[in-house]
Amino acid sequence: MLKNISLSLFLFAGVLLTSSCSSPEKKAEKITMEVSSLALDTDPVCKMPIEGHLSDTLNFNGKIYGFCNTACKKEFEKNSETYLK
């Protein structure tokens, strides 16, 4: 009986893990959609091109801005008006 319960739990965990993973194609599609809807093609803080380097995004005043890393996003959040001039 314990063997059957263990096997059932193992199979159930496998199903959960399989269903929660998204395919690489879906991830690529999400990233492509995200990049195409960005307000700028460069990081507004460091001015680095973000195509191929998109690390984080932020919806600010109805526009989506992309950042090369989380540090640039945090800096933008603190001083957004400075970087939008």
Side-chain angles (χ1 to χ4, degrees):
M1 172 108 173
L2 185 58
K3 185 177 177 182
N4 288 339
I5 293 173
S6 297
L7 181 59
S8 296
L9 289 173
F10 179 77
L11 291 173
F12 181 70
V15 169
L16 286 178
L17 288 173
T18 304
S19 65
S20 67
C21 295
S22 60
S23 69
E25 294 83 16
K26 288 189 180 209
K27 288 181 182 178
E29 181 180 321
K30 181 181 176 186
I31 291 170
T32 301
M33 289 177 8
E34 219 170 272
V35 170
S36 66
S37 63
L38 295 176
L40 304 171
D41 58 354
T42 58
D43 184 313
V45 176
C46 69
K47 307 301 184 208
M48 178 179 168
I50 53 173
E51 188 171 341
H53 303 291
L54 183 64
S55 175
D56 212 340
T57 60
L58 174 70
N59 188 335
F60 181 77
N61 288 341
K63 295 181 181 179
I64 300 172
Y65 294 91
F67 302 92
C68 67
N69 62 51
T70 304
C72 283
K73 176 184 175 181
K74 288 180 181 180
E75 176 61 27
F76 181 85
E77 288 176 311
K78 286 191 256 179
N79 303 305
S80 56
E81 297 304 320
T82 302
Y83 297 109
L84 293 179
K85 289 181 183 181

